Amino acid sequence: IMCVVCTLLIVRNTAILAQLNRDRKQAEEALRQAQNQLQQRGEERTAEILKANLQLQQEILRHQQTEDALRQSQQELSDFVENAIVGLHWVAADGTIIWANQAELDLLGYTREEYIGHSITEFHANQAAIGEILERLLSNQPVQGYETDLRCKDGSVRRVLIDSNSSWHNGEFVRTRCFTRDITDRKRAEEAL
Protein backbone atom coordinates (compact mmCIF):
# COMPACT_ATOMS: atom_id res chain seq x y z
CA ILE A 1 0.00 0.00 0.00
CA MET A 2 2.84 2.29 0.81
CA CYS A 3 4.31 1.78 -2.57
CA VAL A 4 0.98 2.45 -4.19
CA VAL A 5 0.59 5.66 -2.17
CA CYS A 6 4.17 6.69 -2.99
CA THR A 7 3.58 5.92 -6.64
CA LEU A 8 0.37 7.95 -6.62
CA LEU A 9 2.16 10.81 -4.89
CA ILE A 10 4.99 10.65 -7.40
CA VAL A 11 2.55 10.59 -10.31
CA ARG A 12 0.59 13.46 -8.79
CA ASN A 13 3.72 15.48 -8.05
CA THR A 14 5.05 14.77 -11.53
CA ALA A 15 1.78 16.02 -12.98
CA ILE A 16 1.93 19.12 -10.78
CA LEU A 17 5.56 19.72 -11.75
CA ALA A 18 4.69 19.24 -15.41
CA GLN A 19 1.83 21.75 -15.08
CA LEU A 20 4.06 24.20 -13.21
CA ASN A 21 6.71 23.76 -15.90
CA ARG A 22 4.11 24.45 -18.64
CA ASP A 23 2.84 27.48 -16.69
CA ARG A 24 6.41 28.74 -16.24
CA LYS A 25 7.13 28.31 -19.97
CA GLN A 26 3.90 30.15 -20.85
CA ALA A 27 4.75 32.93 -18.42
CA GLU A 28 8.28 33.15 -19.84
CA GLU A 29 6.87 33.26 -23.38
CA ALA A 30 4.34 35.94 -22.38
CA LEU A 31 7.13 37.92 -20.70
CA ARG A 32 9.37 37.52 -23.77
CA GLN A 33 6.51 38.74 -26.03
CA ALA A 34 5.81 41.66 -23.70
CA GLN A 35 9.53 42.55 -23.67
CA ASN A 36 9.66 42.35 -27.48
CA GLN A 37 6.56 44.54 -27.79
CA LEU A 38 7.95 46.99 -25.26
CA GLN A 39 11.28 47.08 -27.07
CA GLN A 40 9.52 47.59 -30.40
CA ARG A 41 7.38 50.38 -28.96
CA GLY A 42 10.47 51.94 -27.42
CA GLU A 43 12.29 51.80 -30.75
CA GLU A 44 9.27 53.28 -32.55
CA ARG A 45 8.92 56.02 -29.96
CA THR A 46 12.65 56.72 -30.10
CA ALA A 47 12.43 56.98 -33.90
CA GLU A 48 9.46 59.35 -33.58
CA ILE A 49 11.32 61.47 -31.03
CA LEU A 50 14.44 61.56 -33.22
CA LYS A 51 12.34 62.58 -36.22
CA ALA A 52 10.55 65.28 -34.21
CA ASN A 53 13.87 66.46 -32.82
CA LEU A 54 15.35 66.70 -36.32
CA GLN A 55 12.31 68.67 -37.53
CA LEU A 56 12.58 70.96 -34.53
CA GLN A 57 16.29 71.54 -35.16
CA GLN A 58 15.53 72.34 -38.81
CA GLU A 59 12.78 74.76 -37.74
CA ILE A 60 15.12 76.42 -35.23
CA LEU A 61 17.76 76.76 -37.95
CA ARG A 62 15.20 78.33 -40.32
CA HIS A 63 14.14 80.77 -37.59
CA GLN A 64 17.76 81.65 -36.85
CA GLN A 65 18.45 82.21 -40.54
CA THR A 66 15.34 84.38 -40.82
CA GLU A 67 16.31 86.36 -37.72
CA ASP A 68 19.86 86.79 -39.05
CA ALA A 69 18.55 88.00 -42.41
CA LEU A 70 16.12 90.36 -40.69
CA ARG A 71 18.84 91.69 -38.38
CA GLN A 72 21.15 92.20 -41.37
CA SER A 73 18.39 93.99 -43.28
CA GLN A 74 17.63 96.21 -40.27
CA GLN A 75 21.30 97.06 -39.88
CA GLU A 76 21.59 97.95 -43.57
CA LEU A 77 18.45 100.07 -43.47
CA SER A 78 19.54 101.76 -40.26
CA ASP A 79 22.95 102.49 -41.76
CA PHE A 80 21.33 103.85 -44.92
CA VAL A 81 19.00 106.18 -43.00
CA GLU A 82 21.50 107.23 -40.36
CA ASN A 83 24.20 108.02 -42.93
CA ALA A 84 22.01 109.44 -45.71
CA ILE A 85 23.20 112.73 -47.17
CA VAL A 86 19.76 114.26 -46.65
CA GLY A 87 18.78 115.49 -43.21
CA LEU A 88 16.03 113.42 -41.63
CA HIS A 89 14.17 113.83 -38.36
CA TRP A 90 11.01 112.73 -36.55
CA VAL A 91 8.85 115.05 -34.48
CA ALA A 92 6.25 113.93 -31.92
CA ALA A 93 2.75 115.43 -31.69
CA ASP A 94 3.90 117.91 -29.04
CA GLY A 95 6.63 119.24 -31.36
CA THR A 96 9.52 117.44 -29.65
CA ILE A 97 12.27 116.09 -31.88
CA ILE A 98 12.47 112.36 -31.15
CA TRP A 99 15.10 111.31 -33.70
CA ALA A 100 17.48 112.85 -36.23
CA ASN A 101 20.12 111.41 -38.52
CA GLN A 102 23.69 112.62 -38.74
CA ALA A 103 23.12 114.76 -41.87
CA GLU A 104 20.45 116.77 -39.99
CA LEU A 105 22.81 117.31 -37.06
CA ASP A 106 25.71 118.23 -39.35
CA LEU A 107 23.55 120.70 -41.28
CA LEU A 108 22.72 122.66 -38.14
CA GLY A 109 25.88 121.93 -36.12
CA TYR A 110 24.18 120.44 -33.05
CA THR A 111 25.02 117.28 -31.14
CA ARG A 112 22.30 114.67 -30.58
CA GLU A 113 21.91 115.84 -26.99
CA GLU A 114 21.46 119.47 -28.11
CA TYR A 115 18.85 118.59 -30.74
CA ILE A 116 16.88 115.46 -29.83
CA GLY A 117 14.40 116.01 -27.02
CA HIS A 118 14.07 119.72 -27.82
CA SER A 119 11.12 121.45 -29.44
CA ILE A 120 11.40 121.81 -33.22
CA THR A 121 10.30 125.44 -32.80
CA GLU A 122 13.65 126.26 -31.13
CA PHE A 123 15.42 125.70 -34.42
CA HIS A 124 13.05 127.55 -36.77
CA ALA A 125 13.81 131.21 -37.46
CA ASN A 126 10.25 131.74 -38.69
CA GLN A 127 7.75 130.67 -36.01
CA ALA A 128 4.77 131.22 -38.31
CA ALA A 129 6.28 128.76 -40.81
CA ILE A 130 6.83 125.98 -38.27
CA GLY A 131 3.34 126.58 -36.89
CA GLU A 132 1.88 126.13 -40.37
CA ILE A 133 4.00 123.02 -41.03
CA LEU A 134 2.95 121.38 -37.75
CA GLU A 135 -0.70 122.29 -38.28
CA ARG A 136 -0.70 120.68 -41.72
CA LEU A 137 1.05 117.54 -40.48
CA LEU A 138 -1.30 117.18 -37.50
CA SER A 139 -4.16 117.38 -40.03
CA ASN A 140 -2.50 114.55 -41.99
CA GLN A 141 -1.64 116.85 -44.92
CA PRO A 142 1.81 116.30 -46.45
CA VAL A 143 4.27 119.17 -46.74
CA GLN A 144 6.28 119.31 -49.95
CA GLY A 145 9.03 121.73 -50.85
CA TYR A 146 8.21 124.11 -47.99
CA GLU A 147 10.89 126.81 -47.96
CA THR A 148 11.90 128.11 -44.54
CA ASP A 149 14.89 129.14 -42.41
CA LEU A 150 16.58 127.07 -39.67
CA ARG A 151 18.90 128.39 -36.95
CA CYS A 152 22.30 126.78 -36.67
CA LYS A 153 24.25 126.34 -33.45
CA ASP A 154 26.75 129.02 -34.55
CA GLY A 155 23.92 131.56 -34.92
CA SER A 156 23.78 131.48 -38.70
CA VAL A 157 20.57 130.74 -40.60
CA ARG A 158 20.25 128.08 -43.32
CA ARG A 159 17.58 128.23 -46.00
CA VAL A 160 16.01 124.77 -46.35
CA LEU A 161 13.26 122.91 -48.14
CA ILE A 162 11.11 120.74 -45.87
CA ASP A 163 9.34 117.63 -47.18
CA SER A 164 7.29 115.88 -44.55
CA ASN A 165 4.32 113.67 -43.83
CA SER A 166 2.88 112.11 -40.71
CA SER A 167 2.72 108.61 -39.38
CA TRP A 168 -0.62 107.52 -37.88
CA HIS A 169 -1.68 104.36 -36.06
CA ASN A 170 -5.32 103.51 -35.33
CA GLY A 171 -6.32 107.09 -36.06
CA GLU A 172 -3.72 108.48 -33.65
CA PHE A 173 -0.86 110.74 -34.69
CA VAL A 174 2.48 109.00 -34.04
CA ARG A 175 5.16 111.29 -35.49
CA THR A 176 6.23 113.28 -38.50
CA ARG A 177 8.77 112.08 -41.03
CA CYS A 178 10.76 115.10 -42.19
CA PHE A 179 13.38 115.53 -44.90
CA THR A 180 15.50 118.70 -44.72
CA ARG A 181 17.37 119.84 -47.84
CA ASP A 182 19.81 122.72 -47.57
CA ILE A 183 19.31 125.24 -50.40
CA THR A 184 21.28 128.12 -48.82
CA ASP A 185 24.05 128.12 -51.44
CA ARG A 186 21.57 127.87 -54.30
CA LYS A 187 19.53 130.79 -52.91
CA ARG A 188 22.67 132.92 -52.53
CA ALA A 189 23.70 132.09 -56.10
CA GLU A 190 20.23 133.05 -57.37
CA GLU A 191 20.35 136.31 -55.43
CA ALA A 192 23.84 137.06 -56.75
CA LEU A 193 22.57 136.67 -60.33
Side-chain angles (χ1 to χ4, degrees):
I1 282 194
M2 241 358 205
C3 282
V4 172
V5 172
C6 285
T7 303
L8 286 175
L9 284 174
I10 291 173
V11 168
R12 187 174 143 246
N13 285 344
T14 303
I16 290 171
L17 285 174
Q19 184 61 42
L20 287 173
N21 199 23
R22 283 191 298 274
D23 289 347
R24 182 186 52 80
K25 286 182 181 178
Q26 286 177 350
E28 287 175 350
E29 182 58 31
L31 182 61
R32 202 172 9 264
Q33 287 178 0
Q35 287 174 333
N36 288 341
Q37 287 176 350
L38 186 59
Q39 183 177 355
Q40 184 178 356
R41 284 186 198 151
E43 290 171 356
E44 289 170 358
R45 188 67 183 131
T46 300
E48 290 171 5
I49 290 171
L50 289 173
K51 182 179 177 183
N53 189 32
L54 179 61
Q55 289 172 339
L56 183 59
Q57 287 175 353
Q58 291 171 342
E59 188 65 26
I60 289 170
L61 180 61
R62 278 193 295 275
H63 281 295
Q64 287 174 338
Q65 290 170 338
T66 301
E67 286 177 7
D68 289 345
L70 180 60
R71 193 172 9 268
Q72 177 68 27
S73 178
Q74 287 174 332
Q75 287 172 348
E76 289 171 359
L77 183 58
S78 178
D79 177 66
F80 175 78
V81 170
E82 186 60 39
N83 296 302
I85 59 172
V86 175
L88 305 168
H89 64 275
W90 293 343
V91 177
D94 66 358
T96 303
I97 301 166
I98 54 176
W99 174 83
N101 73 347
Q102 192 59 48
E104 179 91 4
L105 299 171
D106 291 345
L107 170 67
L108 302 175
Y110 294 98
T111 65
R112 286 192 190 286
E113 294 76 21
E114 295 168 330
Y115 196 64
I116 297 172
H118 293 266
S119 173
I120 192 69
T121 59
E122 294 177 35
F123 305 98
H124 276 263
N126 183 342
Q127 293 302 300
I130 187 57
E132 182 181 340
I133 291 170
L134 289 174
E135 184 179 312
R136 287 172 62 183
L137 292 171
L138 289 170
S139 300
N140 203 16
Q141 298 174 27
V143 173
Q144 294 179 321
Y146 195 102
E147 197 170 313
T148 190
D149 295 315
L150 295 180
R151 272 193 211 96
C152 298
K153 183 177 179 178
D154 65 8
S156 64
V157 174
R158 305 295 294 179
R159 186 59 132 177
V160 297
L161 284 179
I162 301 287
D163 293 298
S164 186
N165 61 17
S166 15
S167 173
W168 296 76
H169 181 70
N170 294 331
E172 295 286 323
F173 179 89
V174 177
R175 65 177 167 262
T176 67
R177 296 177 288 239
C178 302
F179 295 79
T180 309
R181 289 179 286 152
D182 185 6
I183 59 168
T184 306
D185 294 338
R186 185 180 88 193
K187 285 308 246 183
R188 286 181 185 154
E190 287 173 1
E191 289 170 6
L193 288 175

